[in-house]
Amino acid sequence: MNQSGYGFDYFSEGAATLDFFFNLPNQGYSIIILRVEGVNIRVGDASSVAFATSDQYGGSQRVSDQVRNDLGVIEANGHTYFAMTSKAISRLMCGRFSGTTLLVMSCNSLSDSSLAQAFIDKGAKSFIGWNGSITIVHDDRVFTAVTALLTVGVQAGSAVQYASNLFGPDPIWGGTLSSYD
């Protein structure tokens, strides 16, 4: 991405802690790519889209956040993790994004608009994600194209339209790419 004037910071999967996400708006990124495990979960009485953090769940940790249903819980790969929900983004993230575009490489990240709207309400310019399940290979192909377009100044909606026309829905699971702004 350096040819287009963008810097690049890589964080391994173990770095995706709750504190990492809570402080993400203050980092000043113009584009954020999140490759996270995304699912539809129940939080309190409602169903919501959420994505896993690398913090393993503990019933005695972040008790007030759990009581207020700000955090979710996800089981993945035989472990239980805290999950970022729209409430966590709205209530627990510090600061505001500055016109950031978020690319969320996870199943169901836009199966409803709750996560996207929470990021937009925190100052993000746009949110790009999937409305259903996807394979990793398709996810990589599509987001490679979208990222290349965004870094040369193409707007999120146009980048998504182009990549969607080029690659179509996921060939196995049928998830389609969408943008929300």
Side-chain angles (χ1 to χ4, degrees), residues 2-24:
N2 288 340
Q3 293 175 345
S4 57
Y6 286 90
F8 181 83
D9 292 330
Y10 173 79
F11 301 95
S12 65
E13 79 180 58
T17 64
L18 288 167
D19 288 335
F20 169 81
F21 287 112
F22 295 162
N23 293 297
L24 196 54

Side-chain angles (χ1 to χ4, degrees), residues 104 106-111 129-140 142-143 160 163-165 167-179:
V104 183
S106 75
C107 295
N108 301 305
S109 53
L110 263 173
S111 62
W130 297 98
N131 72 352
S133 295
I134 40 96
T135 58
I136 291 173
V137 171
H138 191 69
D139 195 25
D140 288 345
V142 173
F143 272 97
V160 166
S164 295
N165 289 340
F167 296 106
D170 184 89
I172 306 296
W173 299 107
T176 58
L177 193 67
S178 298
S179 67

Side-chain angles (χ1 to χ4, degrees), residues 64-173:
S64 62
D65 296 334
Q66 291 185 59
V67 169
R68 287 191 316 265
N69 292 318
D70 289 347
L71 295 172
V73 177
I74 290 179
E75 291 192 27
N77 303 319
H79 299 284
T80 307
Y81 299 93
F82 280 108
M84 289 294 292
T85 65
S86 57
K87 284 184 179 182
I89 293 162
S90 298
R91 295 181 183 173
L92 303 175
M93 274 190 166
C94 300
R96 294 190 50 80
F97 293 102
S98 182
T100 304
T101 297
L102 284 111
L103 289 78
V104 183
M105 300 175 73
S106 75
C107 295
N108 301 305
S109 53
L110 263 173
S111 62
D112 73 45
S113 63
S114 61
L115 277 180
Q117 186 62 54
F119 277 109
I120 298 297
D121 290 346
K122 277 284 186 184
K125 180 169 77 174
S126 54
F127 182 103
I128 298 172
W130 297 98
N131 72 352
S133 295
I134 40 96
T135 58
I136 291 173
V137 171
H138 191 69
D139 195 25
D140 288 345
R141 278 189 199 125
V142 173
F143 272 97
T144 297
V146 168
T147 303
L149 292 166
L150 291 172
T151 59
V152 296
V154 175
Q155 296 298 308
S158 296
V160 166
Q161 184 68 41
Y162 178 83
S164 295
N165 289 340
L166 184 63
F167 296 106
D170 184 89
I172 306 296
W173 299 107

